[in-house]
Amino acid sequence: MFTLPKLPYRHNALEPHIDEKTMRIHHGKHHAAYVDNLNKALEGYKELSAKPIEKLLFEIDKVPQVIRQAVINHGGGNANHSLFWKIMRPPPAGRGEPQGGFLKTIKKEFSSLEKFKEQFTQKAMSVFGSGWAFLVITPSKSLTLKRHSFQNSPYIYGNIPILGLDVWEHAYYLKYQNRKADYIEAWWNIVNWEQVAKNFDNAVSS
Ligand code: MN3
């Protein structure tokens, strides 16, 4: 049985970059629906519903065909949003910028933090329709950008997401309407780099 994780801050804490109403609907309705529908799909599959969500998706081949797509959609939705809330934090921007091993690897792969942000933004802008941009650790422990449609989770491809950006319209439409680029630019102000670095450390040592 999966449950909706609590937001690690108040619904209005990400203002002005992400508005309170969007957060209430996004967490309380959209994410909650993924959790409910995942539980419904897993009714009668006790062993599967006892697995951590990451493992359930990582071992998607072990999920019976008849419920596999539902687990990809709703399990992915649950995992992606659970990550998303954690890798954000209230403004102001600028505190806790990347440091240590994570920053070193970012510089190695993308030459600078600014270049990384540019490439990640491009990836997110290039999602056509509903989907996500992710920074992932691959099985060979390299740091790579990915773009996935719908709620497809990096875990189903064997990768570990350490940063993710929801570019479904429900994530920004109330405040930004068709101005997706403005949403993404504002989002950089609320990235929780300390959490991303933690995710990086955990992923490379796993
Ligand atoms: Mn969403």
Side-chain angles (χ1 to χ4, degrees), residues 26 81 132 151 166 168 170:
H26 200 176
H81 288 89
W132 291 72
Q151 295 296 349
D166 189 343
W168 284 56
H170 70 225

Side-chain angles (χ1 to χ4, degrees), residues 9 13-14 88-99 188-195:
Y9 34 72
L14 304 180
M88 297 191 288
R89 55 124 182 84
R95 63 187 165 85
E97 290 254 300
Q99 289 174 358
W188 287 115
N189 291 302
I190 47 172
V191 171
N192 184 342
W193 291 109
E194 284 164 11
Q195 184 62 51

Side-chain angles (χ1 to χ4, degrees), residues 2 26 30-31 33-35 37-39 41-42 52-54 56-58 60 63 67-85 131-132 134 148-157 161 166 168 170:
F2 292 92
H26 200 176
H30 289 276
H31 189 176
Y34 292 122
V35 173
N37 288 321
L38 176 62
N39 286 328
L42 291 175
I53 189 64
E54 297 82 4
L56 181 65
L57 294 165
F58 203 74
I60 195 67
V63 174
I67 58 165
R68 192 175 299 161
Q69 192 59 49
V71 171
I72 289 172
N73 293 346
H74 305 296
N78 182 27
N80 292 341
H81 288 89
S82 296
L83 171 74
F84 190 50
W85 312 133
W132 291 72
F134 291 103
H148 294 317
S149 290
F150 315 120
Q151 295 296 349
N152 292 344
S153 159
Y155 290 111
I156 65 176
Y157 306 107
D166 189 343
W168 284 56
H170 70 225

Side-chain angles (χ1 to χ4, degrees), residues 1-2 41-51 56 67:
M1 186 83 172
F2 292 92
L42 291 175
E43 262 169 33
Y45 298 92
K46 231 178 164 181
E47 260 175 49
L48 293 179
S49 49
K51 283 187 182 184
L56 181 65
I67 58 165

